[in-house]
Amino acid sequence: QVQLQESGGGLVRAGDSLRLSCAASARTFFPYTMGWFRQAPGKEREFVAAITWNDGITYYADSVKGRVTISRDNAKNTVYLQMNSLNSEDTAVYYCAARRGPLSDYGYAYWGQGTQVIVSS
């Protein structure tokens, strides 16, 4: 149905910036909310940010607010996660996800395979 593919992860230094991309297979994504989640080793998966496809309304976790920007490119069916001032707490596998309906930090039915971000200090 909906296939998601993340890219852009890698090894970076503390203080660096990184932009993750999520390419979606759907021709039209307007009914969906797109989200980014992350899971650090030994920790629970946590919500990072979300954006609605139709109007671009965003929602951020308090832990990343101010350092992270989520955006989307309709022509490319792609969602981005721009991360600045990276620190060791940002080390995790980052997942792109999609859900039908309103902006939320839960209820996502479709998931990508994840892209690894490692921040060295």
Side-chain angles (χ1 to χ4, degrees), residues 14-109:
D16 285 355
S17 297
L18 197 64
R19 189 179 75 163
L20 306 181
S21 299
C22 173
S25 63
R27 290 289 188 271
T28 59
F29 244 63
F30 300 112
Y32 290 90
T33 292
M34 305 297 298
W36 282 97
F37 293 77
R38 67 185 182 184
Q39 186 166 25
K43 296 184 179 180
E44 296 284 331
R45 182 185 63 190
E46 66 173 342
F47 168 78
V48 177
I51 186 170
T52 57
W53 257 114
N54 59 344
D55 55 10
I57 303 300
T58 59
Y59 173 49
Y60 297 96
D62 290 338
S63 60
V64 300
K65 187 175 294 184
R67 299 191 299 113
V68 166
T69 301
I70 187 171
S71 61
R72 83 270 193 266
D73 186 329
N74 299 60
K76 296 181 179 180
N77 280 346
T78 301
V79 179
Y80 303 98
L81 186 71
Q82 176 70 42
M83 299 187 291
N84 301 321
S85 301
L86 289 165
N87 57 63
S88 60
E89 298 296 321
D90 299 314
T91 294
V93 176
Y94 285 73
Y95 297 93
C96 180
R99 73 184 299 274
R100 289 183 177 271
L103 200 62
S104 177
D105 59 356
Y106 71 95
Y108 290 80

